[in-house]
Amino acid sequence: TSQIDHLVDHHFEQIGEPDHICRPTLTKALKMLSGSSACFLETGTANYGAQSTILFDSYVSNYGGLVHTVDIDPSPGLAVRNLCSPRTRFYCNDSISFLELAPQVPIEPGQKLLVYLDSWDVSLHDSFPSASHCLGELMAILPLLIKHSGLLLIDDTPVDASLFDLNPSDSSSLIGISQFMANYGVCPGKGAF
């Protein structure tokens, strides 16, 4: 196993939920950075679940770079600020407005870029607001992603509705999923659009 595997294993054994559904994807993404210095742009500061903010901070603490994480609510940043190094910068702002200013974030020559869109939690009763917001985030960051050949991850975007951990008696979520799929032809989620 690689040093990145050890970093991720330690993170999920000590901090994040060990069996979190995003663990394999986050591991693969960090391996794609190849131990290079990286700039992370994260929307939705993570203070539960996978704890991606702290994971990204661990990466830059080991390999160099910076984490820029934004949340419209200051609470998540306040909850994890003391668990992160000075390499992580916290912002309180609307994520689309923040990403529109992202070209001002210094990305050093040769540094890799990873954008993690994880704001506006998905409501299966009505997934449109989350999906629409995420599309706005993508449009705001797309020029920077193209310029730096960046890596894009979008949370809560299953390829199949069976990946949602649903209670069979939650009929309103089941109806919401069915309606979203009928209206848009794709599974609901942040990255649906």
Side-chain angles (χ1 to χ4, degrees), residues 113-125:
L113 171 66
L114 187 146
V115 176
Y116 189 47
L117 304 180
D118 188 16
S119 66
W120 201 307
D121 290 335
V122 175
S123 166
L124 296 178
H125 309 285

Side-chain angles (χ1 to χ4, degrees), residues 7 11 14 17 24 26-28 34 54 58 61 84 87 111 124 131 145 147-148 158 160 163 169 186 190:
L7 183 142
H11 173 80
Q14 302 296 320
E17 294 173 3
L26 290 169
T27 302
K28 185 174 183 177
S34 308
I54 298 169
S58 294
S61 293
C84 293
R87 291 184 170 274
Q111 194 172 55
L124 296 178
L145 275 169
K147 179 180 178 183
H148 291 282
D160 185 288
L163 294 172
S169 65
V186 295
K190 291 177 187 170

Side-chain angles (χ1 to χ4, degrees), residues 66-162:
L66 292 172
V67 176
H68 301 273
T69 182
V70 63
D71 203 297
I72 200 162
D73 178 0
S75 302
L78 293 171
V80 299
R81 183 179 305 263
N82 291 335
L83 301 173
C84 293
S85 75
R87 291 184 170 274
T88 295
R89 313 282 164 79
F90 294 88
Y91 305 87
C92 185
N93 197 351
D94 170 74
S95 59
I96 295 173
S97 298
F98 173 79
L99 292 173
E100 287 171 345
L101 297 174
Q104 297 174 17
V105 171
I107 300 174
E108 299 171 10
Q111 194 172 55
K112 299 206 176 175
L113 171 66
L114 187 146
V115 176
Y116 189 47
L117 304 180
D118 188 16
S119 66
W120 201 307
D121 290 335
V122 175
S123 166
L124 296 178
H125 309 285
D126 181 10
S127 301
F128 182 84
S130 178
S132 177
H133 183 79
C134 187
L135 179 60
E137 290 179 327
L138 175 62
M139 298 312 292
I141 198 63
L142 194 57
L144 191 67
L145 275 169
I146 292 170
K147 179 180 178 183
H148 291 282
S149 300
L151 180 61
L152 172 68
L153 296 176
I154 303 174
D155 192 52
D156 297 334
T157 307
V159 294
D160 185 288
S162 68

Side-chain angles (χ1 to χ4, degrees), residues 16-46:
E17 294 173 3
D19 297 325
H20 197 277
I21 193 168
C22 294
R23 182 177 180 167
T25 306
L26 290 169
T27 302
K28 185 174 183 177
L30 293 183
K31 284 183 173 185
M32 290 176 76
L33 297 176
S34 308
S36 298
S37 174
C39 177
F40 290 84
L41 297 175
E42 175 187 50
T43 65
T45 303

